[in-house]
């Protein structure tokens, strides 16, 4: 009976995405299996997958080890040993299985190494060690090249980030940039990243990865807070600074002004500090805002179990609940209450805007001071480079300046965050009731809480009654 073997193929990079490299490997491995009179029963293919990077999991390689240990295959055929392993630990895992099952077969197309024998294992260990060193050397050269490109403000290649054109990653994609700015404005207005992520997923925005059902939360957050938005060049996720201490600017069009970007970053960071690991999702406008007219306990919305799309039953209700410490005696259909509150709040905010002075685009007062600190730092570094001062003197004078610079940058970010948040939250002059109710519920709550501190829902008595607006009491700020 022919020996059943598995064929393992792998290539680190498949830029065209056509899997031609692994296909050629498979053909050569099948030819070798025929020469040995072995039956190739399964092909384990890791296309566009590195065997050197430690954090990468090669799913087909792991499946092959499992099948080999379980006896489902009697050996392995690979194009070359470095297709199987470039990390000594992966080779040792494979050798361990061959130790446990001495009759396993092994062959490669390019050489005659056989890890089923002691001499073959010794040679395999030496070859993988050299392959590992080769990968380290290549990685070091690539990293040095990427750093050089970063210091020059150039891109390192790859797919264009969302917000820039796919055919020219230095040019802004107008539609994507518009979606980013709108989402940033929503963040400043109190909308969750999770809400934006869901909408983007439905609309196909944000360059979602092929085959994924949901975009990752951190992926959307990175798009909206990336330093690239203001033209800053990054290296390993950090903003790269030049010899003068200033951020290196990239050779592409920015999407945000600095104050806009800093405001969004500060708002996201503040939300993380205030609500670590806590969901901010809301389903109903007045949950936590409405209160029972009898016991004054907070009322929350709850879905009506009898409601079906197209039915006349109420979609949801605001109900005082005994479970939450209330009296359980007050409840109201939710939709007309929401519509009434939306109408009252929008009218109040339009009236307030009509008598308010025109908004002034104020600039942060510390801009000149920050610019002077940056200039002082650049002069100190230049003085040390020209041997006017020693390194010791530089390291004595530099830290206080850097601390002062960082404190001023934090103050600037806080200033623009509050300014941009105020603009985003107060921009309701031309919003209709229907447009208001179509907004994310977090945004609706921000608008309502700008005018109201609570909404008292008074009891309507027994029996079926027509909605009475007088029983809904807004408590104005």
């Amino acid at each position: 009976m022919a020996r059943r073997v598995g064929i393992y193929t792998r290539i680190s990079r498949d830029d065209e995405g056509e899997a031609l490299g692994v296909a050629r490997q498979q053909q050569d491995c099948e030819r070798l299996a025929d020469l040995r009179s072995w039956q190739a029963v399964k092909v384990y293919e890791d296309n566009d997958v590195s065997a050197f990077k430690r954090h990468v999991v090669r799913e087909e390689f792991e499946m092959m080890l499992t099948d080999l240990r379980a006896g489902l295959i009697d050996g392995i055929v690979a194009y070359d040993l470095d297709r199987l392993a470039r990390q000594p630990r992966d080779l040792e895992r494979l050798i361990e299985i061959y130790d446990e099952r001495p009759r396993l077969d092994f062959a490669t197309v390019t050489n005659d190494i056989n890890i089923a024998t002691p001499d073959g294992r010794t040679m395999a260990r030496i070859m993988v060690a050299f392959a590992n060193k080769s990968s380290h050397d290549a990685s070091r050269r690539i990293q040095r090249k990427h750093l050089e490109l970063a210091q020059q403000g150039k891109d390192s290649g790859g797919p264009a980030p969302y917000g820039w054109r796919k055919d020219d990653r230095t040019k802004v994609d107008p539609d994507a940039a518009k979606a980013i700015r709108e989402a940033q404005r929503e963040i400043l207005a109190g909308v969750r990243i999770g809400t934006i992520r869901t909408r983007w997923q439905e609309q196909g925005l944000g360059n979602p990865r092929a085959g994924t059902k949901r975009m990752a939360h951190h992926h959307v957050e990175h798009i909206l807070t990336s330093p690239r938005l203001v033209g800053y060049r990054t290296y390993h996720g950090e903003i790269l600074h030049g010899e003068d201490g200033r951020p290196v600017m990239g050779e592409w069009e920015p999407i945000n002004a600095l104050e806009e970007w800093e405001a969004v970053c500060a708002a996201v960071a503040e939300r993380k500090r205030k609500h670590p690991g806590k969901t901010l999702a809301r389903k109903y406008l007045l949950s936590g805002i409405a209160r029972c007219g009898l016991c004054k306990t907070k009322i929350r919305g709850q879905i009506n179990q009898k409601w079906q799309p197209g039915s006349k039953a109420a979609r949801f209700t605001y109900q005082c609940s005994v479970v939450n410490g209330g009296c359980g005696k007050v409840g109201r259909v939710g939709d007309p209450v929401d519509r009434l509150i939306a109408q009252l709040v929008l009218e109040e905010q339009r009236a307030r805007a009509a008598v308010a002075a025109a908004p002034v685009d104020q600039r942060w007062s510390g801009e000149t001071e920050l610019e002077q600190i940056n200039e002082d730092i650049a002069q100190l570094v230049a003085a040390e480079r020209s041997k006017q001062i020693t390194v010791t003197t530089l390291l004595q004078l530099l830290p206080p300046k850097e601390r002062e610079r960082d404190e001023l940058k934090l103050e600037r970010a806080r200033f623009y965050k509050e300014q941009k948040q105020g603009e985003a939250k107060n921009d309701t002059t031309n919003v209709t009731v229907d447009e208001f109710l179509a907004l994310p519920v977090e945004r609706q709550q921000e608008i309502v809480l700008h005018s109201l501190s609570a909404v008292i829902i008074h009891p309507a008595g027994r029996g079926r009654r027509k909605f009475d607006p007088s029983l809904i009491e807004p408590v104005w700020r």
Side-chain angles (χ1 to χ4, degrees):
M1 183 177 178
R3 301 283 284 171
R4 300 166 303 165
V5 297
I7 292 176
Y8 182 77
T9 62
R10 183 190 66 81
I11 193 169
S12 296
R13 290 192 61 178
D14 181 17
D15 294 332
E16 291 78 19
E18 298 180 358
L20 299 178
V22 288
R24 289 190 293 269
Q25 292 179 30
Q26 179 180 337
Q27 292 174 359
D28 292 343
C29 290
E30 288 174 342
R31 202 172 294 122
L32 177 58
D34 289 340
L35 290 173
R36 299 285 181 94
S37 298
W38 294 341
Q39 180 186 0
V41 295
K42 182 171 175 57
V43 177
Y44 302 89
E45 179 185 300
D46 281 320
N47 187 45
D48 202 20
V49 179
S50 171
F52 172 69
K53 297 177 180 177
R54 290 181 175 271
H55 66 278
V56 173
V57 176
R58 293 185 283 159
E59 295 181 358
E60 291 292 300
F61 178 77
E62 297 298 330
M63 183 183 295
M64 181 187 68
L65 296 186
T66 301
D67 292 348
L68 198 63
R69 180 174 278 112
L72 299 180
I73 54 177
D74 301 317
I76 299 171
V77 179
Y79 184 79
D80 192 273
L81 187 62
D82 70 356
R83 299 301 90 197
L84 276 168
R86 276 186 173 263
Q87 288 289 354
R89 60 177 182 173
D90 287 338
L91 176 64
E92 293 304 325
R93 293 168 64 202
L94 187 59
I95 289 175
E96 182 181 340
I97 297 175
Y98 274 78
D99 274 336
E100 296 171 356
R101 300 185 60 205
R103 294 187 67 253
L104 290 176
D105 294 313
F106 183 85
T108 60
V109 173
T110 57
N111 51 54
D112 200 25
I113 298 296
N114 186 359
I115 63 173
T117 66
D119 290 343
R121 294 173 192 177
T122 300
M123 285 301 300
R125 289 182 173 112
I126 293 172
M127 293 178 67
V128 169
F130 273 101
N132 183 263
K133 182 181 183 304
S134 175
S135 293
H136 269 294
D137 292 341
S139 176
R140 185 171 60 251
R141 290 193 298 270
I142 291 171
Q143 288 182 12
R144 183 65 188 87
K145 180 63 176 177
H146 284 319
L147 177 59
E148 180 182 352
L149 291 172
Q151 290 170 334
Q152 296 171 358
K154 296 180 179 179
D155 261 333
S156 300
Y162 186 67
W164 286 265
R165 288 166 43 183
K166 294 181 180 179
D167 59 337
D168 185 354
R169 52 188 290 143
T170 65
K171 302 295 184 182
V172 168
D173 179 339
D175 293 335
K178 180 181 178 183
I180 289 173
R181 293 192 189 100
E182 288 178 352
Q184 289 176 326
R185 190 170 182 82
E186 287 182 311
I187 291 293
L188 293 169
V191 178
R192 296 181 310 118
I193 289 178
T195 301
I196 296 169
R197 177 188 65 180
T198 301
R199 190 183 73 247
W200 275 17
Q201 187 74 31
E202 293 171 351
Q203 297 175 351
L205 302 177
N207 287 351
R209 294 180 180 271
T212 58
K213 294 182 179 179
R214 296 187 66 189
M215 294 174 64
H217 183 282
H218 68 83
H219 179 54
V220 179
E221 180 180 320
H222 174 73
I223 290 175
L224 301 180
T225 60
S226 171
R228 182 185 172 92
L229 294 168
V230 286
Y232 286 166
R233 185 60 167 91
T234 59
Y235 184 70
H236 287 179
E238 299 291 334
I239 297 174
L240 190 66
H241 290 79
E243 293 179 349
D244 59 357
R246 301 174 187 272
V248 174
M249 303 303 295
E251 298 179 342
W252 57 79
E253 296 177 354
I255 290 177
N256 285 146
L258 179 61
E259 58 268 22
E260 296 171 336
W261 175 74
E262 286 190 338
V264 174
C265 293
V268 171
E270 181 182 56
R271 196 175 301 181
K272 286 182 176 180
R273 288 194 300 269
K274 285 185 176 179
H275 310 281
K278 179 181 177 182
T279 178
L280 301 177
R282 297 290 184 271
K283 290 184 178 180
Y284 307 105
L285 170 60
L286 299 181
S287 285
I289 299 176
R291 289 182 177 272
C292 173
L294 293 179
C295 65
K296 303 303 184 289
T297 302
K298 286 185 177 181
I299 293 178
R300 301 191 178 277
Q302 59 185 38
I303 191 70
N304 187 341
Q305 300 298 330
K306 298 180 180 180
W307 178 79
Q308 295 292 333
S311 71
K312 295 183 178 180
R315 182 169 60 95
F316 73 98
T317 61
Y318 290 113
Q319 183 67 48
C320 180
S321 173
V322 177
V323 176
N324 294 327
C327 63
K329 297 178 180 179
V330 173
R332 198 61 45 81
V333 173
D335 286 315
V337 176
D338 283 359
R339 182 167 286 274
L340 172 66
I341 294 301
Q343 180 180 348
L344 294 175
V345 166
L346 293 176
E347 288 175 355
E348 188 270 343
Q349 292 185 5
R350 277 194 288 268
R352 189 191 310 172
V355 299
V360 179
D361 184 18
Q362 294 182 344
R363 305 296 297 175
W364 176 57
S365 60
E367 201 69 63
T368 303
E369 185 180 358
L370 177 59
E371 185 63 28
Q372 184 59 55
I373 292 294
N374 283 327
E375 186 64 31
D376 292 346
I377 292 174
Q379 289 178 0
L380 286 173
V381 173
E384 188 278 328
R385 192 175 295 113
S386 62
K387 306 301 181 184
Q388 296 178 25
I389 60 174
T390 64
V391 174
T392 302
T393 302
L394 174 67
L395 295 181
Q396 289 175 343
L397 299 176
L398 202 55
K401 293 287 185 182
E402 291 175 332
R403 283 195 298 272
E404 190 174 353
R405 176 200 63 192
D406 294 341
E407 289 173 0
L408 286 170
K409 289 175 69 175
L410 183 61
E411 183 181 326
R412 179 179 65 184
R414 189 180 299 116
F415 172 85
Y416 284 123
K417 175 188 73 71
E418 293 174 356
Q419 184 186 79
K420 299 299 179 182
Q421 277 184 330
E423 293 173 0
K425 292 177 181 179
N426 296 335
D427 186 18
T428 58
T429 307
N430 300 316
V431 176
T432 66
V433 172
D434 288 333
E435 289 172 340
F436 172 89
L437 295 174
L439 293 172
V441 70
E442 303 99 322
R443 176 73 177 111
Q444 295 179 28
Q445 285 198 331
E446 287 284 354
I447 295 173
V448 167
L449 289 173
H450 189 70
S451 297
L452 302 178
S453 58
V455 174
I456 308 297
I457 298 180
H458 295 285
R462 294 186 178 182
R464 196 179 179 116
R465 293 172 180 268
K466 185 178 179 181
F467 176 70
D468 185 356
S470 66
L471 299 177
I472 310 300
E473 179 188 350
V475 180
W476 301 97
R477 290 189 181 279

